[in-house]
Amino acid sequence: MVSLEKELQGNTYPGRGIVIGRSRDGKHAVIGYFIMGRSENSRNRVFVKEPDGIRTEAFDPAKLTDPSLIIYHPVRVVGDTTVVTNGDQTDTVADFLKEGKTFEEALRTRTFEPDGPNWTPRISGMVEKNGDYRLSILKSADGDEHSTRRYFFEYTAPRAGEAHFIHTYEHDGSPIPSFKGEPTAVSLENYACINCFTNALWDNLNADNKVSLYTCFIDLETGERTEKIVNKNQ
């Protein structure tokens, strides 16, 4: 495992990121999701709480130019399952789960975002009632818009104090290179509570590019959810 803080400090633009794991006391599933932006349109966003999760919203509606890839539900709760993604595939996964289908079946109907030349990957996560979780990335084949690569990662009986971190971009660039390899194993040993976890994520994201952050601790015995939202635009 590596330090989550150092992973964030060493990357000025990971794009959008998902962290899922288990708290150091083993009693909570842990979720973190952040968005970043380089353009005015991408930075003009906030997270807003919804009854079944959260959604993105334009901070200043007058400055919103293209909502297609920036306005969506990052988090949806379906029964005892939590879905978190970087786009409208959240709704796809939620709809499939309601029909008794799987996370993987849902994402096999989707591909990367149509925003060439970046072809931004779609990253997705799902946390089950017992704390088991899955991650996925859908991306182009080295920038080839005609070829899709779908990767799925499944974590059963996750270890206390450990999480996995996946993000859309390897680092800043033009075009921006997609994330490579498996989700990074990161330590949660330094975070005794959701406030510690939230502060570690927010304080170590690039100050110029960070936009919004959502965190959640789910009590694995009771199902009780403790959630935090931090928006750069207040």
Side-chain angles (χ1 to χ4, degrees), residues 40-71:
E40 182 180 38
N41 196 43
S42 292
R43 292 177 175 180
N44 180 37
R45 288 183 288 175
V46 291
F47 284 165
V48 178
K49 188 76 177 71
E50 292 271 280
D52 68 340
I54 65 170
R55 62 180 169 86
T56 59
E57 182 178 274
F59 175 66
D60 183 350
K63 294 182 179 179
L64 180 64
T65 57
D66 180 8
S68 61
L69 295 176
I70 66 169
I71 303 300

Side-chain angles (χ1 to χ4, degrees), residues 89-147:
Q89 74 268 27
T90 311
D91 298 334
T92 304
V93 175
D95 289 344
F96 270 59
L97 293 179
K98 290 174 183 176
E99 295 173 1
K101 298 178 182 178
T102 67
F103 178 76
E104 292 80 7
E105 286 178 299
L107 293 173
R108 288 188 184 111
T109 70
R110 303 303 303 268
T111 184
F112 46 84
E113 295 183 354
D115 63 341
N118 295 319
W119 310 117
T120 298
R122 292 188 186 272
I123 56 173
S124 307
M126 185 180 79
V127 183
E128 300 181 57
K129 181 180 181 180
N130 65 355
D132 290 353
Y133 58 94
R134 303 179 188 194
L135 288 167
S136 171
I137 184 167
L138 316 178
K139 61 182 183 176
S140 68
D142 300 315
D144 182 349
E145 63 182 290
H146 303 293
S147 185

Side-chain angles (χ1 to χ4, degrees), residues 47 54 194-195 198 213-217 226-230:
F47 284 165
I54 65 170
I194 190 171
N195 289 332
T198 302
L213 169 67
Y214 166 86
T215 58
C216 180
F217 271 39
T226 304
E227 300 171 304
K228 299 286 183 180
I229 289 176
V230 183

